[in-house]
Amino acid sequence: MQSSRDAVAPGDVVRANGGGGGNSTNLVNGNNGEWDSPMFRLAQNQFLLAAEIMELDDNLRERLLFPQRTLLVSFPFRRDEYRQVETVFGYRVQHILTMGPTKGGIRYHHDVNLGEVSALAMWMTWKCALMNLPFGGAKGGGRLDPTDLSRGELQRLTRRYTSEIIDMIGPDRDIPAPDMGTDPQVMAWLMDTYSQQVGHGVPEVVTGKPVVLGGSLGRKEATGRGLVYLIQKAAEQVKLDLTNAKAVIQGFGNVASYAAEFLEDLGVKVVGLSDVTTGLYDPAGFSVMAVTDHIKQHKRLDSYPGGEKVSNRELLELPCDILVPAAIQNQITGENAGRIQCRILAEGANGPTTLEADEILSEREVFVLPNVLGNSGGVIVSYFEWVQGTQNYMWSLEEINERLHKILTEAFHRTLLRARRDGLNMRTAALIEGIRRVAEAKLSQGVFP
Ligand code: NAD
């Protein structure tokens, strides 16, 4: 790696107070200051492992280890019961501003914290760079349980959250999108709130909005579709015949439900499914359409009449060829990785696998599609949506899916080539591909002033 001494004054050492402190080669085990959380430590340690292998300059390592901009707000939120006013914490984090505007989803979840949002923003940076998209990574969140809110409450909360972060976002500044707990409707309210404030309609300020408001065809299903394109590539590598394969999928939200549908279209039997209420197992395979209809009507899986109930932990260890974690982080750990039975682990979720689990999975030769590669279909079609919005294009679904497939296939082969050539696992190979691009951009840009 070229030295960043080209870009900074000789002998200049960047030190982060409370962070790596000039010694970022070591894994981060705490002392991350404001950002500290298990998920942020996971993202940092994945980055540091890759940085070590690519011999990334220390100054750059320090700069990339923490987000560049962080906003933490607390704001009042009025429930339908008029006199009940609650305080909500909201976040927006921009990891790297060098690559263009920043891009990343908004998560509503009762456990969201600054460290989690920062980890998600960092992964967005590597993901966009791996896909050669002109964005840095960002993420936002609200610490709340969206399943507990009426439609009116969700709208009020979203509008207030948007006005709290409004100075940070914009179509050429930072462009939000859906993540866990948010959907096209939430994006529509976010876009409308922003547009009301600036005085004219600005659909390009968000992606993942309804098509009728300028959303892109194919965006809603893009993350699941992209993951399944990659599973097809992985299956070729491990010589798995998908028409005889079984899949277990954790979660049944946006990513999981579309992944299930597209896998079923390829002839894969979906034998395990789950949501926050339960896991379900049926060795004969579920009808994905029947489960989807049930969720539309009843919102939860524990009332579904088919399959045997299992816990979300048991679900991960069911016999299958393809395991798709597509819910929350920290699911496959040093404790259960040895019992996981799949040949392909396709990460729809962000951060589902710990570093200890990665080692075990590598030893067991499980083919891993890491989150920065596996779930990038969403941000790729978000990029298409942003381009269509800023340029007033209207692309057909065929054009969208064709371009998505091309970008993902190229990124898959680049990652696989690096993994094979350098004897790395797919995660580290994908991270190195992304980090290298960001590091080069940082070096070209130099340090201001
Ligand atoms: P979603 O809100 O649509 O669905 C989340 C699903 O996870 C639901 O079925 C929910 O019941 C389930 N769940 C929640 N808590 C759980 C728990 N403790 N145990 C088991 N299941 C639980 O969210 P989504 O948009 O599908 O996102 C899922 C994951 O995919 C997240 O990690 C997110 O960051 C990642 N992701 C999403 C997108 C996107 O385009 N939506 C893009 C990239 C990555």
Side-chain angles (χ1 to χ4, degrees), residues 107 179-181 223 252-255 275-276 312 327-328 348-350:
R107 172 174 287 199
D179 189 74
M180 196 157 70
T223 310
F252 206 75
N254 173 281
V255 179
D275 73 354
V276 69
N312 260 289
I328 52 166
N350 281 306

Side-chain angles (χ1 to χ4, degrees), residues 185-200:
Q185 178 59 75
V186 170
M187 294 306 114
W189 292 325
L190 203 154
M191 167 196 144
D192 185 56
T193 308
Y194 183 89
S195 300
Q196 295 292 338
Q197 297 260 344
V198 299
H200 58 95

Side-chain angles (χ1 to χ4, degrees), residues 135-183:
F135 297 130
K139 210 78 182 191
R143 193 188 300 172
L144 60 117
D145 178 3
T147 59
D148 181 39
L149 304 183
S150 70
R151 185 182 160 91
E153 288 174 332
L154 192 60
Q155 173 165 186
R156 280 200 296 284
L157 182 122
T158 299
R159 288 187 181 279
R160 179 64 192 243
Y161 166 73
T162 307
S163 73
E164 294 289 338
I165 64 162
I166 207 149
D167 291 338
M168 255 176 117
I169 60 174
D172 47 13
R173 194 176 276 201
D174 179 11
I175 306 120
D179 189 74
M180 196 157 70
T182 60
D183 61 9

Side-chain angles (χ1 to χ4, degrees), residues 272-307:
L273 291 167
S274 78
D275 73 354
V276 69
T277 66
T278 191
L280 289 177
Y281 179 49
D282 183 349
F286 289 94
S287 154
V288 174
M289 196 193 281
V291 180
T292 305
D293 286 347
H294 178 87
I295 287 283
K296 269 189 196 143
Q297 274 185 38
H298 304 281
K299 308 271 183 257
R300 47 195 295 155
L301 217 49
D302 57 358
S303 54
Y304 186 73

Side-chain angles (χ1 to χ4, degrees), residues 96-157:
I96 293 296
L97 305 179
T98 307
M99 310 305 289
T102 47
K103 185 94 193 72
I106 291 176
R107 172 174 287 199
Y108 287 168
H109 192 268
H110 54 82
D111 279 341
V112 160
N113 58 50
L114 188 60
E116 179 171 319
V117 177
S118 304
L120 292 163
M122 185 190 268
W123 282 320
M124 282 301 293
T125 297
W126 314 140
K127 200 183 299 184
C128 292
L130 173 63
M131 299 298 148
N132 290 327
L133 304 179
F135 297 130
K139 210 78 182 191
R143 193 188 300 172
L144 60 117
D145 178 3
T147 59
D148 181 39
L149 304 183
S150 70
R151 185 182 160 91
E153 288 174 332
L154 192 60
Q155 173 165 186
R156 280 200 296 284
L157 182 122

Side-chain angles (χ1 to χ4, degrees), residues 182-352:
T182 60
D183 61 9
Q185 178 59 75
V186 170
M187 294 306 114
W189 292 325
L190 203 154
M191 167 196 144
D192 185 56
T193 308
Y194 183 89
S195 300
Q196 295 292 338
Q197 297 260 344
V198 299
H200 58 95
V202 189
E204 323 85 79
V205 69
V206 292
T207 59
K209 56 196 169 282
V211 173
V212 70
L213 286 175
S216 178
L217 296 173
R219 171 61 185 90
K220 198 158 44 89
E221 56 272 38
T223 310
R225 188 187 294 280
L227 188 61
V228 173
Y229 284 158
L230 293 164
I231 290 172
Q232 287 178 278
K233 292 280 148 206
E236 285 168 18
Q237 296 302 318
V238 301
K239 305 205 170 13
L240 174 67
D241 172 11
L242 289 177
T243 59
N244 273 319
K246 291 181 178 175
V248 167
I249 302 177
Q250 187 184 46
F252 206 75
N254 173 281
V255 179
S257 61
Y258 284 114
E261 182 183 323
F262 298 131
L263 281 173
E264 194 183 48
D265 287 348
L266 294 174
V268 176
K269 222 182 249 180
V270 178
V271 296
L273 291 167
S274 78
D275 73 354
V276 69
T277 66
T278 191
L280 289 177
Y281 179 49
D282 183 349
F286 289 94
S287 154
V288 174
M289 196 193 281
V291 180
T292 305
D293 286 347
H294 178 87
I295 287 283
K296 269 189 196 143
Q297 274 185 38
H298 304 281
K299 308 271 183 257
R300 47 195 295 155
L301 217 49
D302 57 358
S303 54
Y304 186 73
E308 172 199 340
K309 285 206 170 67
V310 292
S311 70
N312 260 289
R313 286 277 149 196
E314 289 164 340
L315 180 96
L316 299 170
E317 298 172 23
L318 291 173
C320 66
D321 304 292
I322 304 159
L323 178 63
V324 182
I328 52 166
Q329 57 273 14
N330 196 29
Q331 294 301 295
I332 299 152
T333 63
E335 194 277 314
N336 64 1
R339 296 191 300 276
I340 273 157
Q341 304 194 40
C342 62
R343 295 174 65 195
I344 298 172
L345 175 69
E347 294 184 350
N350 281 306

